[in-house]
Amino acid sequence: AQSVAQPEDQVNVAEGNPLTVKCTYSVSGNPYLFWYVQYPNRGLQFLLKYITGDNLVKGSYGFEAEFNKSQTSFHLKKPSALVSDSALYFCAGLSGGSYIPTFGRGTSLIVHP
Amino acid sequence: NAGVTQTPKFQVLKTGQSMTLQCAQDMNHEYMSWYRQDPGMGLRLIHYSVGAGITDQGEVPNGYNVSRSTTEDFPLRLLSAAPSQTSVYFCASSSDPGRQNIQYFGAGTRLSVL
């Protein structure tokens, strides 16, 4: 069984401040973890993924995510938020060999000028 | 590359009507899937396919049919629309579902059932 949780429906941050969007997972075996972003009236776009290796994964638009096995977390981070980062963010995960990723419920990130 | 193309972008139906949501991809991906997105519910998997001629049910398959006669196309059929099917529908495709599993999403179809 696999599940992904995003505990925050909404995150508010001021422009220029660091941001964190949280994700925890429950996946059997070695997890494959992903972050996607959805801008208004658009489909989801891939941001970054963790398959194996370094716990800090760097992705598009200056985003990065830290894989923490002991805490079963994969939080999305960015050192300095932009207003244009405002969007809906989805965490997804699956176990090795599975075809079907499980998505979290999404977190709305609002960056205030 | 066009990527994943969904048509129509918007649709209004009356209860009981049927329709087909079209999805096409030009990346030669084997894996395709349909999701619905509802407020507070995130993405829920309706049906998926791991190749031409192979389909399977996801989390919320009731009221929907799919077929996969070609690698490129994966249409979603609503048999008898109900207001509970008002949602935004996304089609996605992937080249390697087992490992890399980066999914490419279409722009979505916004469906209202009155």
Side-chain angles (χ1 to χ4, degrees), chain B residues 4-93:
Chain B
V4 179
T5 302
Q6 290 184 237
T7 55
K9 294 188 186 304
F10 303 95
Q11 183 70 49
V12 179
L13 293 177
K14 295 181 180 178
T15 298
Q17 287 185 315
S18 63
M19 78 160 294
T20 299
L21 280 63
Q22 301 292 344
C23 176
Q25 53 93 6
D26 61 0
M27 297 173 282
N28 201 34
H29 286 170
E30 292 295 325
Y31 176 82
M32 297 185 74
S33 54
W34 276 102
Y35 295 89
R36 59 177 291 172
Q37 183 179 28
D38 303 290
M41 302 293 290
L43 289 174
R44 292 184 291 171
L45 182 67
I46 304 172
H47 286 285
Y48 67 98
S49 169
V50 299
I54 307 170
T55 63
D56 207 345
Q57 297 181 350
E59 180 185 358
V60 289
N62 292 342
Y64 308 94
N65 271 357
V66 291
S67 60
R68 185 94 181 271
S69 57
T70 67
T71 298
E72 293 79 18
D73 299 301
F74 190 44
L76 178 72
R77 281 180 284 277
L78 279 69
L79 308 174
S80 177
S84 61
Q85 293 179 304
T86 294
S87 187
V88 182
Y89 292 84
F90 289 100
C91 178
S93 74

Side-chain angles (χ1 to χ4, degrees), chain A residues 34 36 38 41 49 101 105, chain B residues 31 37 40 97 100 103 110:
Chain A
F34 305 81
Y36 290 84
Q38 184 183 28
N41 300 314
K49 66 180 179 182
R105 293 170 63 172
Chain B
Y31 176 82
Q37 183 179 28
Q100 302 296 330
Q103 294 206 70
R110 285 154 182 78

Side-chain angles (χ1 to χ4, degrees), chain A residues 38-74:
Chain A
Q38 184 183 28
Y39 297 103
N41 300 314
R42 303 287 297 276
L44 278 68
Q45 299 175 31
F46 169 76
L47 268 182
L48 51 80
K49 66 180 179 182
Y50 172 83
I51 303 297
T52 186
D54 289 341
N55 290 341
L56 186 63
V57 179
K58 294 189 183 296
S60 306
Y61 312 121
F63 283 93
E64 58 189 26
E66 184 173 9
F67 172 70
N68 188 316
K69 188 173 183 178
S70 63
Q71 297 186 4
T72 62
S73 67
F74 189 56

